[in-house]
Amino acid sequence: AASFDACMLKLQGRESAKAVANLLTGEVLRLCNEADVPLSETPISTEVLVDLVRSQAAGTLSSTAAKQVLAEIFKSGGSVPA
């Protein structure tokens, strides 16, 4: 399971912190609640969150697309497309 601290070790900057916090407290928690899965057992890894934040920062993924990718990875596993 991904954690804020683990993500921040791989990312730098205030905007990254905000993006990670938004994904964790918004989308990841929502997906966990919908699936009745504890946050500690989420299939979303630190690497997935870091890749999503980097893709958003680079303009490769919009925030809407990042949420869709996150939901798909939550359901089926996998990684962020390059």
Side-chain angles (χ1 to χ4, degrees):
S3 75
F4 180 80
D5 291 336
C7 289
M8 292 317 302
L9 288 173
K10 295 181 181 236
L11 296 166
Q12 296 180 355
R14 184 174 181 197
E15 289 304 310
S16 296
K18 182 179 177 183
V20 170
N22 287 343
L23 285 172
L24 277 173
T25 60
E27 292 306 304
V28 175
L29 283 178
R30 180 185 64 78
L31 292 166
C32 286
N33 287 335
E34 287 176 0
D36 198 26
V37 173
L39 182 59
S40 61
E41 295 177 19
T42 181
I44 303 297
S45 68
T46 298
E47 289 74 23
V48 165
L49 284 181
V50 167
D51 288 346
L52 283 173
V53 169
R54 286 182 175 154
S55 293
Q56 285 181 278
T60 308
L61 286 176
S62 67
S63 61
T64 302
K67 291 175 186 178
Q68 292 170 342
V69 169
L70 186 67
E72 186 59 36
I73 292 171
F74 187 91
K75 292 177 191 171
S76 305
S79 59
V80 177

